[in-house]
Amino acid sequence: MMLNNVDFETYFKHYPDANGYFGKYGGSYLTPELQNAMNEIRDAYFTICKSRKFIAELRRIRKEFQGRPTPISHLERLSDSIGNGVQLYAKREDLNHTGAHKLNHCMGEALLAKYMGKKKVIAETGAGQHGVALATAAAYFGLECDIYMGAVDIKKQAPNVARMKILGANVIEVTHGLQTLKEAVDAAFDAYFREHETAIYCIGSVLGPHPFPLMVRDFQSVVGIEAREQFVGMTGELPDAVVACVGGGSNAMGIFSGFLNDPVDIYGIEPLGRGTTLGDHAASLKYGTEGIMHGFNSIMLKDENGEPAPVYSVASGLDYPSSGPEHAFLQDVGRVKYDVINDEETIDAFFKLSRMEGIIPAIESAHAVAYGIKLAEKMGKGSILINLSGRGDKDMDYVIENFGIR
Ligand SMILES: *Cc1c(COP(=O)(O)O)cnc(C)c1O
């Protein structure tokens, strides 16, 4: 498929380029010292992760530890309730070990750390989901794990903090500034700079400086590879549309990567939260502008000083003022359509999927479910594959407290 001079037949060979650019987005904007440390990860990625030994070991782990492949489920009752013949399907990343897609890249990153001879993995976490996945991977490989987390987030996310500690990770409280994700990112970068001889930094989405958007996409592409084969096996054809929620964009890049060169409409769904006012949503691709933050160039939501704006979403995993550079690129090229779903629509979908299919989705994933339902109503025929990025056990108390039982 050709679109605006981009050939999707050979897309993965050329995007990103050698410097980590997807068109004008991506790259690596770091101090020279930090760049040197990052170059070590980049070089290791291109040698170690392409080796047959690494790939074979990761495959074995995916099967024996993570429980992959995850299935695709036909959402029959939900499809019937729409009633126009459109069939909805879900790729069940909620059934991946730890209950979400994040372990797909964390196992890859921690295996890379092991092959590089590092003793420790370092990361920041906001809601704690990335911290839990990385702590799981670190326990599996016998690595130390330092997770930087804002003091405000530590208070809000007690169950995930407990999980990380049980798994043996050190949760390091960050107490400056607003004491949330942005400060935690800075603290984790600082720690990596100090400890890069014995540790590697592990980012939690298709974000950050090169090579992370590439590396995390590659580790997540297992979702799209499995999904394409499974869907064709189940139905004899490709889906007409694929839908995923976009925070940083890793679960979306995972499933999208399986279908970029196919005649399939692809939709990335951002959180519209309470509405279109800056501060009430986290729809960076829809409402943001080009800018550099956390070491990469992408589309971001900015405040009046050009700094990353405060953002909000009912789903803490989608609560980030930018998105991966590859999404900014795919939007510009027109290969992926980005749209939004608000809190209300999300909570409705959360209950619909629970009641009609017996699957309690993560609130993040419920954004994709809500859009899938809307799209089905509009399409009138065909099939839609939704990436169900995670399970909703972590969200149940919050939903009942704030929205009641519907
Ligand atoms: C973290 C998270 C997301 C958002 O991250 P992406 O990098 O955009 O995929 C989505 N769903 C779940 C369940 C998550 O934990």
Side-chain angles (χ1 to χ4, degrees), residues 91-95 98-102 129 245 251 313-318 341 343 345-351 353-354 359-370 386-396 398-399:
K91 174 64 171 164
R92 302 289 307 278
E93 289 305 293
D94 59 315
L95 297 178
T98 71
H101 71 288
K102 283 196 178 73
Q129 297 297 102
C245 66
N251 87 87
S313 164
V314 68
S316 45
L318 303 181
I341 283 289
D343 284 0
E345 297 168 308
T346 300
I347 298 300
D348 272 349
F350 175 90
F351 280 106
L353 194 72
S354 302
I359 302 170
I360 303 175
I363 308 186
E364 290 82 2
S365 323
H367 284 75
V369 175
I386 299 163
N387 198 25
L388 208 72
S389 54
R391 68 174 182 227
D393 303 49
K394 67 183 178 59
D395 300 315
M396 294 186 299
Y398 177 85
V399 168

Short mmCIF file of all heavy atoms in Angstrom, two decimals, residues 91-95 98-102 129 245 251 313-318 341 343 345-351 353-354 359-370 386-396 398-399:
data_model
loop_
_atom_site.label_atom_id
_atom_site.label_comp_id
_atom_site.label_asym_id
_atom_site.label_seq_id
_atom_site.Cartn_x
_atom_site.Cartn_y
_atom_site.Cartn_z
N LYS A 91 -9.00 -8.73 20.73
CA LYS A 91 -7.71 -9.38 20.98
C LYS A 91 -7.46 -9.27 22.48
O LYS A 91 -7.43 -8.17 23.03
CB LYS A 91 -6.60 -8.69 20.17
CG LYS A 91 -5.20 -9.19 20.45
CD LYS A 91 -4.98 -10.63 20.06
CE LYS A 91 -3.50 -11.01 20.16
NZ LYS A 91 -3.32 -12.48 20.16
N ARG A 92 -7.29 -10.42 23.14
CA ARG A 92 -7.38 -10.49 24.60
C ARG A 92 -6.05 -10.29 25.31
O ARG A 92 -5.56 -11.19 26.00
CB ARG A 92 -8.02 -11.83 24.98
CG ARG A 92 -9.43 -12.08 24.37
CD ARG A 92 -10.49 -11.20 25.01
NE ARG A 92 -10.51 -11.32 26.45
CZ ARG A 92 -11.12 -12.29 27.12
NH1 ARG A 92 -11.81 -13.21 26.49
NH2 ARG A 92 -11.07 -12.33 28.44
N GLU A 93 -5.50 -9.07 25.23
CA GLU A 93 -4.28 -8.79 26.00
C GLU A 93 -4.55 -8.77 27.51
O GLU A 93 -3.61 -8.82 28.31
CB GLU A 93 -3.63 -7.50 25.54
CG GLU A 93 -2.99 -7.61 24.16
CD GLU A 93 -1.99 -8.75 24.09
OE1 GLU A 93 -0.96 -8.70 24.75
OE2 GLU A 93 -2.28 -9.73 23.37
N ASP A 94 -5.84 -8.71 27.87
CA ASP A 94 -6.17 -8.82 29.31
C ASP A 94 -5.80 -10.19 29.85
O ASP A 94 -5.67 -10.37 31.06
CB ASP A 94 -7.67 -8.54 29.53
CG ASP A 94 -8.57 -9.51 28.76
OD1 ASP A 94 -8.30 -9.76 27.57
OD2 ASP A 94 -9.54 -10.02 29.36
N LEU A 95 -5.62 -11.17 28.96
CA LEU A 95 -5.25 -12.53 29.39
C LEU A 95 -3.74 -12.76 29.39
O LEU A 95 -3.28 -13.83 29.76
CB LEU A 95 -5.96 -13.57 28.52
CG LEU A 95 -7.49 -13.54 28.63
CD1 LEU A 95 -8.11 -14.57 27.69
CD2 LEU A 95 -7.93 -13.81 30.06
N THR A 98 -0.07 -10.84 34.12
CA THR A 98 -0.19 -9.53 34.80
C THR A 98 -1.38 -8.72 34.28
O THR A 98 -1.63 -7.62 34.74
CB THR A 98 1.09 -8.64 34.78
OG1 THR A 98 1.30 -8.16 33.45
CG2 THR A 98 2.30 -9.36 35.28
N GLY A 99 -2.10 -9.23 33.28
CA GLY A 99 -3.37 -8.62 32.92
C GLY A 99 -3.34 -7.45 31.96
O GLY A 99 -4.32 -6.72 31.86
N ALA A 100 -2.23 -7.26 31.26
CA ALA A 100 -2.18 -6.20 30.25
C ALA A 100 -1.03 -6.45 29.28
O ALA A 100 -0.20 -7.33 29.50
CB ALA A 100 -2.05 -4.84 30.90
N HIS A 101 -1.01 -5.62 28.24
CA HIS A 101 0.00 -5.77 27.19
C HIS A 101 1.39 -5.34 27.62
O HIS A 101 2.37 -5.66 26.97
CB HIS A 101 -0.42 -4.94 25.97
CG HIS A 101 -0.29 -3.47 26.23
ND1 HIS A 101 -1.14 -2.78 27.07
CD2 HIS A 101 0.63 -2.57 25.82
CE1 HIS A 101 -0.76 -1.52 27.15
NE2 HIS A 101 0.31 -1.36 26.39
N LYS A 102 1.51 -4.57 28.69
CA LYS A 102 2.80 -3.95 29.02
C LYS A 102 3.91 -4.96 29.25
O LYS A 102 5.08 -4.68 29.01
CB LYS A 102 2.67 -3.02 30.22
CG LYS A 102 2.03 -1.69 29.88
CD LYS A 102 2.26 -0.66 30.96
CE LYS A 102 1.66 0.69 30.59
NZ LYS A 102 0.16 0.67 30.69
N GLN A 129 1.26 0.87 36.43
CA GLN A 129 1.13 -0.31 35.57
C GLN A 129 2.47 -0.72 34.97
O GLN A 129 2.80 -1.90 34.92
CB GLN A 129 0.13 -0.03 34.44
CG GLN A 129 -1.28 0.24 34.90
CD GLN A 129 -1.87 -0.94 35.61
OE1 GLN A 129 -1.95 -0.96 36.83
NE2 GLN A 129 -2.27 -1.94 34.87
N CYS A 245 -6.84 1.85 21.94
CA CYS A 245 -6.68 3.11 22.67
C CYS A 245 -5.22 3.56 22.61
O CYS A 245 -4.32 2.75 22.45
CB CYS A 245 -7.14 2.94 24.12
SG CYS A 245 -6.13 1.82 25.12
N ASN A 251 0.23 -0.31 23.02
CA ASN A 251 -0.68 -1.42 22.64
C ASN A 251 -1.20 -1.16 21.23
O ASN A 251 -1.36 -2.10 20.44
CB ASN A 251 -1.79 -1.61 23.68
CG ASN A 251 -3.02 -0.74 23.46
OD1 ASN A 251 -3.92 -1.12 22.72
ND2 ASN A 251 -3.05 0.44 24.06
N SER A 313 -7.54 12.18 32.34
CA SER A 313 -8.38 11.14 31.78
C SER A 313 -8.88 10.27 32.92
O SER A 313 -8.18 10.10 33.93
CB SER A 313 -7.60 10.27 30.79
OG SER A 313 -8.31 9.06 30.55
N VAL A 314 -10.07 9.70 32.75
CA VAL A 314 -10.58 8.75 33.73
C VAL A 314 -9.68 7.52 33.79
O VAL A 314 -9.62 6.82 34.79
CB VAL A 314 -12.04 8.37 33.37
CG1 VAL A 314 -12.11 7.57 32.08
CG2 VAL A 314 -12.71 7.61 34.50
N ALA A 315 -8.92 7.28 32.70
CA ALA A 315 -7.98 6.15 32.65
C ALA A 315 -6.57 6.66 32.92
O ALA A 315 -6.01 7.39 32.11
CB ALA A 315 -8.04 5.49 31.28
N SER A 316 -6.01 6.29 34.07
CA SER A 316 -4.70 6.85 34.43
C SER A 316 -3.61 6.42 33.45
O SER A 316 -2.64 7.12 33.27
CB SER A 316 -4.33 6.47 35.86
OG SER A 316 -4.60 5.11 36.07
N GLY A 317 -3.80 5.30 32.77
CA GLY A 317 -2.79 4.86 31.79
C GLY A 317 -2.81 5.64 30.49
O GLY A 317 -1.93 5.47 29.65
N LEU A 318 -3.82 6.50 30.30
CA LEU A 318 -3.88 7.30 29.06
C LEU A 318 -3.55 8.77 29.33
O LEU A 318 -3.62 9.61 28.43
CB LEU A 318 -5.28 7.21 28.44
CG LEU A 318 -5.80 5.82 28.10
CD1 LEU A 318 -7.19 5.90 27.47
CD2 LEU A 318 -4.85 5.09 27.16
N ILE A 341 -12.83 9.55 22.60
CA ILE A 341 -13.97 9.01 23.36
C ILE A 341 -13.91 9.65 24.75
O ILE A 341 -12.82 9.74 25.34
CB ILE A 341 -13.85 7.47 23.46
CG1 ILE A 341 -14.27 6.79 22.16
CG2 ILE A 341 -14.66 6.92 24.63
CD1 ILE A 341 -15.76 6.83 21.82
N ASP A 343 -15.18 10.33 28.94
CA ASP A 343 -15.32 9.49 30.15
C ASP A 343 -16.65 8.74 30.19
O ASP A 343 -16.69 7.54 30.49
CB ASP A 343 -15.24 10.37 31.42
CG ASP A 343 -13.83 10.81 31.73
OD1 ASP A 343 -12.90 10.45 30.98
OD2 ASP A 343 -13.66 11.54 32.74
N GLU A 345 -18.81 7.89 27.79
CA GLU A 345 -18.90 6.81 26.79
C GLU A 345 -18.04 5.62 27.22
O GLU A 345 -18.40 4.46 27.00
CB GLU A 345 -18.40 7.33 25.43
CG GLU A 345 -19.24 8.45 24.84
CD GLU A 345 -18.57 9.12 23.65
OE1 GLU A 345 -17.38 9.54 23.74
OE2 GLU A 345 -19.22 9.24 22.60
N THR A 346 -16.91 5.94 27.86
CA THR A 346 -15.99 4.89 28.31
C THR A 346 -16.62 4.03 29.40
O THR A 346 -16.56 2.80 29.36
CB THR A 346 -14.70 5.53 28.86
OG1 THR A 346 -14.10 6.28 27.81
CG2 THR A 346 -13.73 4.49 29.36
N ILE A 347 -17.25 4.69 30.38
CA ILE A 347 -17.83 3.94 31.49
C ILE A 347 -19.02 3.11 31.00
O ILE A 347 -19.22 1.97 31.43
CB ILE A 347 -18.24 4.90 32.64
CG1 ILE A 347 -17.00 5.62 33.17
CG2 ILE A 347 -18.95 4.14 33.76
CD1 ILE A 347 -15.90 4.73 33.72
N ASP A 348 -19.80 3.66 30.06
CA ASP A 348 -20.88 2.87 29.45
C ASP A 348 -20.34 1.59 28.82
O ASP A 348 -20.89 0.51 29.01
CB ASP A 348 -21.58 3.69 28.36
CG ASP A 348 -22.71 4.52 28.92
OD1 ASP A 348 -23.08 4.30 30.09
OD2 ASP A 348 -23.22 5.38 28.18
N ALA A 349 -19.25 1.73 28.07
CA ALA A 349 -18.66 0.58 27.39
C ALA A 349 -18.08 -0.41 28.40
O ALA A 349 -18.14 -1.63 28.20
CB ALA A 349 -17.59 1.04 26.41
N PHE A 350 -17.53 0.12 29.48
CA PHE A 350 -16.98 -0.71 30.56
C PHE A 350 -18.07 -1.67 31.08
O PHE A 350 -17.85 -2.87 31.22
CB PHE A 350 -16.47 0.22 31.68
CG PHE A 350 -15.97 -0.47 32.92
CD1 PHE A 350 -14.63 -0.84 33.04
CD2 PHE A 350 -16.82 -0.72 34.00
CE1 PHE A 350 -14.17 -1.45 34.20
CE2 PHE A 350 -16.37 -1.33 35.16
CZ PHE A 350 -15.03 -1.70 35.26
N PHE A 351 -19.25 -1.12 31.34
CA PHE A 351 -20.35 -1.97 31.84
C PHE A 351 -20.92 -2.86 30.74
O PHE A 351 -21.27 -4.01 31.00
CB PHE A 351 -21.43 -1.11 32.49
CG PHE A 351 -21.07 -0.71 33.89
CD1 PHE A 351 -20.68 0.59 34.19
CD2 PHE A 351 -21.11 -1.64 34.92
CE1 PHE A 351 -20.32 0.95 35.49
CE2 PHE A 351 -20.77 -1.29 36.22
CZ PHE A 351 -20.36 0.01 36.51
N LEU A 353 -19.45 -4.25 28.11
CA LEU A 353 -18.59 -5.41 27.86
C LEU A 353 -18.65 -6.39 29.03
O LEU A 353 -18.68 -7.61 28.84
CB LEU A 353 -17.14 -4.98 27.59
CG LEU A 353 -16.27 -6.09 27.00
CD1 LEU A 353 -16.65 -6.34 25.53
CD2 LEU A 353 -14.78 -5.76 27.09
N SER A 354 -18.70 -5.84 30.25
CA SER A 354 -18.78 -6.70 31.43
C SER A 354 -20.08 -7.50 31.43
O SER A 354 -20.08 -8.72 31.62
CB SER A 354 -18.72 -5.85 32.71
OG SER A 354 -17.52 -5.10 32.74
N ILE A 359 -16.48 -9.93 30.33
CA ILE A 359 -15.09 -9.45 30.33
C ILE A 359 -15.09 -8.05 30.93
O ILE A 359 -15.71 -7.13 30.38
CB ILE A 359 -14.54 -9.36 28.88
CG1 ILE A 359 -14.60 -10.71 28.18
CG2 ILE A 359 -13.10 -8.82 28.90
CD1 ILE A 359 -14.31 -10.63 26.67
N ILE A 360 -14.40 -7.88 32.08
CA ILE A 360 -14.28 -6.55 32.68
C ILE A 360 -13.01 -5.91 32.11
O ILE A 360 -11.92 -6.36 32.40
CB ILE A 360 -14.21 -6.63 34.22
CG1 ILE A 360 -15.44 -7.36 34.79
CG2 ILE A 360 -14.07 -5.23 34.82
CD1 ILE A 360 -15.39 -7.59 36.30
N PRO A 361 -13.17 -4.87 31.27
CA PRO A 361 -11.99 -4.31 30.62
C PRO A 361 -11.31 -3.25 31.49
O PRO A 361 -11.97 -2.63 32.34
CB PRO A 361 -12.58 -3.63 29.37
CG PRO A 361 -13.94 -3.18 29.80
CD PRO A 361 -14.43 -4.20 30.83
N ALA A 362 -10.03 -3.03 31.29
CA ALA A 362 -9.36 -1.86 31.87
C ALA A 362 -10.07 -0.62 31.34
O ALA A 362 -10.58 -0.62 30.21
CB ALA A 362 -7.90 -1.84 31.46
N ILE A 363 -10.11 0.46 32.14
CA ILE A 363 -10.80 1.68 31.66
C ILE A 363 -10.10 2.21 30.40
O ILE A 363 -10.75 2.78 29.53
CB ILE A 363 -10.83 2.79 32.72
CG1 ILE A 363 -11.37 2.26 34.04
CG2 ILE A 363 -11.76 3.91 32.27
CD1 ILE A 363 -11.56 3.37 35.08
N GLU A 364 -8.78 2.00 30.31
CA GLU A 364 -8.06 2.40 29.09
C GLU A 364 -8.67 1.69 27.89
O GLU A 364 -9.07 2.31 26.91
CB GLU A 364 -6.57 2.03 29.21
CG GLU A 364 -5.75 2.83 30.22
CD GLU A 364 -5.92 2.32 31.65
OE1 GLU A 364 -6.64 1.31 31.87
OE2 GLU A 364 -5.35 2.96 32.57
N SER A 365 -8.76 0.36 28.00
CA SER A 365 -9.27 -0.46 26.89
C SER A 365 -10.73 -0.14 26.59
O SER A 365 -11.17 -0.27 25.44
CB SER A 365 -9.15 -1.94 27.24
OG SER A 365 -7.97 -2.21 27.96
N ALA A 366 -11.49 0.26 27.61
CA ALA A 366 -12.91 0.57 27.41
C ALA A 366 -13.09 1.73 26.43
O ALA A 366 -14.13 1.84 25.79
CB ALA A 366 -13.58 0.87 28.75
N HIS A 367 -12.07 2.60 26.31
CA HIS A 367 -12.12 3.66 25.28
C HIS A 367 -12.20 3.03 23.88
O HIS A 367 -12.95 3.50 23.03
CB HIS A 367 -10.88 4.56 25.36
CG HIS A 367 -10.90 5.55 26.49
ND1 HIS A 367 -10.67 5.19 27.79
CD2 HIS A 367 -11.13 6.88 26.51
CE1 HIS A 367 -10.75 6.27 28.56
NE2 HIS A 367 -11.03 7.31 27.80
N ALA A 368 -11.41 2.00 23.66
CA ALA A 368 -11.41 1.33 22.35
C ALA A 368 -12.73 0.59 22.13
O ALA A 368 -13.28 0.59 21.03
CB ALA A 368 -10.23 0.37 22.25
N VAL A 369 -13.25 -0.02 23.20
CA VAL A 369 -14.53 -0.73 23.10
C VAL A 369 -15.63 0.27 22.73
O VAL A 369 -16.45 0.01 21.84
CB VAL A 369 -14.86 -1.46 24.42
CG1 VAL A 369 -16.25 -2.10 24.35
CG2 VAL A 369 -13.80 -2.51 24.74
N ALA A 370 -15.65 1.41 23.42
CA ALA A 370 -16.68 2.43 23.15
C ALA A 370 -16.61 2.87 21.69
O ALA A 370 -17.64 3.01 21.02
CB ALA A 370 -16.49 3.63 24.08
N ILE A 386 -10.98 -5.14 18.05
CA ILE A 386 -10.61 -4.20 19.11
C ILE A 386 -9.46 -4.79 19.91
O ILE A 386 -9.51 -5.95 20.29
CB ILE A 386 -11.82 -3.96 20.06
CG1 ILE A 386 -12.99 -3.34 19.28
CG2 ILE A 386 -11.42 -3.09 21.24
CD1 ILE A 386 -14.32 -3.45 20.02
N ASN A 387 -8.44 -3.98 20.17
CA ASN A 387 -7.38 -4.47 21.05
C ASN A 387 -7.78 -4.22 22.49
O ASN A 387 -7.86 -3.07 22.94
CB ASN A 387 -6.04 -3.77 20.74
CG ASN A 387 -4.87 -4.56 21.30
OD1 ASN A 387 -4.97 -5.78 21.50
ND2 ASN A 387 -3.76 -3.89 21.55
N LEU A 388 -8.04 -5.30 23.22
CA LEU A 388 -8.41 -5.19 24.64
C LEU A 388 -7.11 -5.21 25.43
O LEU A 388 -6.63 -6.26 25.83
CB LEU A 388 -9.33 -6.35 25.01
CG LEU A 388 -10.28 -6.00 26.13
CD1 LEU A 388 -11.35 -5.05 25.65
CD2 LEU A 388 -10.90 -7.26 26.69
N SER A 389 -6.54 -4.00 25.66
CA SER A 389 -5.16 -3.91 26.16
C SER A 389 -4.99 -4.47 27.56
O SER A 389 -3.90 -4.90 27.92
CB SER A 389 -4.68 -2.46 26.09
OG SER A 389 -5.59 -1.60 26.77
N GLY A 390 -6.07 -4.47 28.39
CA GLY A 390 -5.89 -4.98 29.74
C GLY A 390 -7.20 -5.25 30.45
O GLY A 390 -8.27 -4.86 29.98
N ARG A 391 -7.10 -5.91 31.60
CA ARG A 391 -8.30 -6.25 32.36
C ARG A 391 -8.59 -5.16 33.40
O ARG A 391 -7.70 -4.40 33.79
CB ARG A 391 -8.14 -7.61 33.02
CG ARG A 391 -7.11 -7.64 34.11
CD ARG A 391 -7.07 -8.99 34.84
NE ARG A 391 -6.09 -8.90 35.90
CZ ARG A 391 -5.15 -9.82 36.14
NH1 ARG A 391 -5.08 -10.90 35.40
NH2 ARG A 391 -4.30 -9.65 37.14
N GLY A 392 -9.84 -5.14 33.85
CA GLY A 392 -10.28 -4.02 34.67
C GLY A 392 -10.29 -4.24 36.16
O GLY A 392 -10.79 -3.40 36.90
N ASP A 393 -9.69 -5.30 36.64
CA ASP A 393 -9.70 -5.54 38.09
C ASP A 393 -9.14 -4.34 38.85
O ASP A 393 -9.65 -3.98 39.91
CB ASP A 393 -8.84 -6.77 38.44
CG ASP A 393 -9.31 -8.01 37.72
OD1 ASP A 393 -9.51 -7.94 36.49
OD2 ASP A 393 -9.49 -9.05 38.37
N LYS A 394 -8.11 -3.71 38.31
CA LYS A 394 -7.47 -2.57 38.95
C LYS A 394 -8.43 -1.37 39.05
O LYS A 394 -8.19 -0.45 39.82
CB LYS A 394 -6.22 -2.17 38.16
CG LYS A 394 -6.53 -1.63 36.76
CD LYS A 394 -5.28 -1.32 35.96
CE LYS A 394 -5.58 -0.83 34.56
NZ LYS A 394 -6.40 0.38 34.43
N ASP A 395 -9.48 -1.35 38.23
CA ASP A 395 -10.35 -0.17 38.13
C ASP A 395 -11.69 -0.32 38.83
O ASP A 395 -12.46 0.63 38.90
CB ASP A 395 -10.62 0.13 36.65
CG ASP A 395 -9.35 0.41 35.88
OD1 ASP A 395 -8.51 1.18 36.40
OD2 ASP A 395 -9.18 -0.13 34.77
N MET A 396 -11.98 -1.51 39.35
CA MET A 396 -13.34 -1.78 39.82
C MET A 396 -13.76 -0.85 40.96
O MET A 396 -14.85 -0.28 40.92
CB MET A 396 -13.47 -3.24 40.24
CG MET A 396 -13.32 -4.17 39.05
SD MET A 396 -13.61 -5.89 39.44
CE MET A 396 -12.36 -6.22 40.64
N TYR A 398 -12.61 2.05 41.79
CA TYR A 398 -12.70 3.42 41.30
C TYR A 398 -14.01 3.66 40.56
O TYR A 398 -14.69 4.67 40.76
CB TYR A 398 -11.50 3.72 40.40
CG TYR A 398 -11.54 5.10 39.80
CD1 TYR A 398 -11.03 6.19 40.51
CD2 TYR A 398 -12.10 5.31 38.54
CE1 TYR A 398 -11.09 7.47 39.97
CE2 TYR A 398 -12.16 6.58 38.00
CZ TYR A 398 -11.66 7.66 38.72
OH TYR A 398 -11.73 8.91 38.18
N VAL A 399 -14.38 2.72 39.72
CA VAL A 399 -15.60 2.87 38.92
C VAL A 399 -16.82 2.90 39.82
O VAL A 399 -17.69 3.76 39.70
CB VAL A 399 -15.73 1.75 37.86
CG1 VAL A 399 -17.12 1.73 37.23
CG2 VAL A 399 -14.67 1.92 36.78
#
